[in-house]
Amino acid sequence: MLFDLTDLRLFILIAEHNSLTRSAERMNLSLAATSNRIKELETRFGTRLLYRESKGVQLTPAGHTLLHHAQQFMQQVEHLKSDMQQYNNGIKGYIRIFANTTAVTEFMPEILGKFLARHPQVNVALEERLNHDILRGIQEGTADIGIVAGPVQGEGLQILNFSTDRLVLATALEHPLADAPSLPFIQTLEYEHIGLHEGSTLHHFLSKIVAENGQRLKLRIEVRSFEAMCRMIETNVGIGILPRSAAQRHQQTMQLSVVELSDPWSVRERSMVVQDIDTLSPHARNLVEFIREQTAQGAEDDALIPGAMARPAKAGSGKRA
């Protein structure tokens, strides 16, 4: 082999500290042994990895490449240790999922609850990430399954579409836009908005849309969930853009008007992203199929509900929402 795990750990420490001496101390190695290990690496790879300077060391371009792969490799080693430890605790499977905001807050909790009830020896790690971080996580192998919305381009990845949602406008019942049959997003920009927190996928997506149109979003308040967003909208603090599935769910318990957006980008395909479904663990493949089955069943159930988008009656109309 060109290297061992000690070489990789040592090289990562050198990159972090820019020092052979401090890295040697951290690894409990002598300075001479540390220097020899780096020299052997350079000999084996046939290229210089470090620039040795009076104030320490700096990575060469080849050194940066080695660091990138070393970090990925050590991450996989840690995942391996974690996965194998699960077996000592009676767990037979571990699935890592990176997902966008809607998936994490809206439909994955219910799906995972059902899945884990059927598979008690499986553990799942679900993390909220932006789309580009999700794709990078799948490419680098730090996640098994990615769940994204909207157009997806990931070289060398398999993209599995499993459902469609739509972004809509939610307003208070007395808001001027409440009775619009549909409207373009740009017409909402003169009003104050309620939005998700800055690190959310939806916030990132809408900010990009606004910037591309040379406009500004009047964001009055940022919240952490669609429920908090809808409660603010209900009290007419502002209006908000959110997935129709979330709007419909909260419309059942809150006084909200839901208005369709006419923009083509409002239709959002949901997709699962994997490196290769055939190389996923059996438990991860089972989860992929379970998600597709559950979302397909949910779409059929929604189609059977009449007037799913009907607005609650306004106060004073004598009707109950």
Side-chain angles (χ1 to χ4, degrees), residues 2-306:
L2 294 176
F3 52 81
D4 59 25
L5 294 182
T6 300
D7 290 333
L8 297 186
R9 290 193 181 98
L10 177 61
F11 194 79
I12 291 171
L13 284 174
I14 291 171
E16 291 176 352
H17 297 293
N18 296 322
S19 168
L20 293 178
T21 303
R22 293 176 62 187
S23 303
E25 293 173 352
R26 291 284 302 275
M27 293 290 292
N28 293 318
L29 296 172
S30 68
L31 182 59
T34 297
S35 182
N36 285 335
R37 279 184 174 270
I38 297 303
K39 288 179 180 178
E40 289 177 6
L41 279 176
E42 291 179 326
T43 299
R44 290 170 184 170
F45 285 114
T47 186
R48 176 178 290 185
L49 300 173
L50 299 175
Y51 295 123
R52 291 159 177 82
E53 303 172 348
S54 59
K55 295 183 179 180
V57 295
Q58 297 293 330
L59 300 187
T60 66
H64 282 289
T65 298
L66 176 59
L67 175 64
H68 172 72
H69 289 286
Q71 290 172 329
Q72 288 187 24
F73 192 92
M74 294 309 299
Q75 284 178 338
Q76 290 301 312
V77 170
E78 292 303 313
H79 285 318
L80 173 62
K81 289 166 59 178
S82 176
D83 289 353
M84 296 307 294
Q85 183 63 38
Q86 303 292 329
Y87 288 89
N88 294 332
N89 300 328
I91 298 298
K92 303 303 181 185
Y94 185 75
I95 306 170
R96 296 175 294 269
I97 304 171
F98 288 175
N100 67 351
T101 308
T102 305
V104 170
T105 60
E106 288 300 308
F107 63 89
M108 284 303 291
E110 181 179 357
I111 287 176
L112 288 177
K114 294 177 181 178
F115 179 81
L116 294 175
R118 298 184 185 183
H119 302 273
Q121 293 182 314
V122 175
N123 277 358
V124 172
L126 175 64
E127 298 182 27
E128 180 181 343
R129 300 289 182 94
L130 295 174
N131 275 8
H132 60 84
D133 292 328
I134 295 170
L135 296 178
R136 186 170 65 246
I138 299 299
Q139 289 171 329
E140 295 178 352
T142 54
D144 302 303
I145 302 170
I147 299 179
V148 298
V152 183
Q153 292 182 345
E155 185 177 352
L157 301 179
Q158 291 186 356
I159 300 168
L160 312 171
N161 296 111
F162 65 94
S163 70
T164 301
D165 203 351
R166 188 181 192 110
L167 293 177
V168 297
L169 172 70
T171 76
L173 297 182
E174 61 271 24
H175 194 274
L177 299 180
D179 293 321
S182 69
L183 48 78
F185 174 61
I186 195 170
Q187 289 187 14
T188 73
L189 297 181
E190 63 180 283
Y191 300 97
E192 293 184 316
H193 278 243
I194 310 297
L196 289 183
H197 59 95
E198 188 173 351
S200 67
T201 305
L202 184 57
H203 184 287
H204 182 78
F205 176 74
L206 291 177
S207 297
K208 182 179 178 182
I209 294 292
V210 172
E212 288 175 350
N213 284 277
Q215 300 287 324
R216 186 177 68 87
L217 188 65
K218 299 177 182 178
L219 195 58
R220 188 171 187 187
I221 186 171
E222 297 178 14
V223 294
R224 300 293 303 184
S225 68
F226 290 126
E227 180 181 5
M229 186 175 175
C230 288
R231 290 196 181 282
M232 290 290 179
I233 293 170
E234 182 183 28
T235 59
N236 210 15
V237 173
I239 60 178
I241 306 297
L242 68 164
R244 180 163 57 183
S245 55
Q248 288 178 346
R249 181 162 65 85
H250 293 298
Q251 193 182 29
Q252 296 174 15
T253 58
M254 302 182 197
Q255 297 289 302
L256 299 173
S257 179
V258 179
V259 180
E260 296 280 1
L261 294 176
S262 59
D263 307 85
W265 51 256
S266 65
V267 178
R268 307 272 282 166
E269 294 291 335
R270 289 178 181 153
S271 304
M272 286 179 285
V273 184
V274 299
Q275 282 191 358
D276 184 348
I277 195 168
D278 292 330
T279 61
L280 285 177
S281 69
H283 296 296
R285 285 200 302 273
N286 288 340
L287 178 56
V288 168
E289 292 305 317
F290 188 77
I291 292 173
R292 297 176 94 171
E293 292 172 2
Q294 291 296 305
T295 51
Q297 181 61 51
E300 292 176 4
D301 292 344
D302 289 343
L304 296 176
I305 301 175

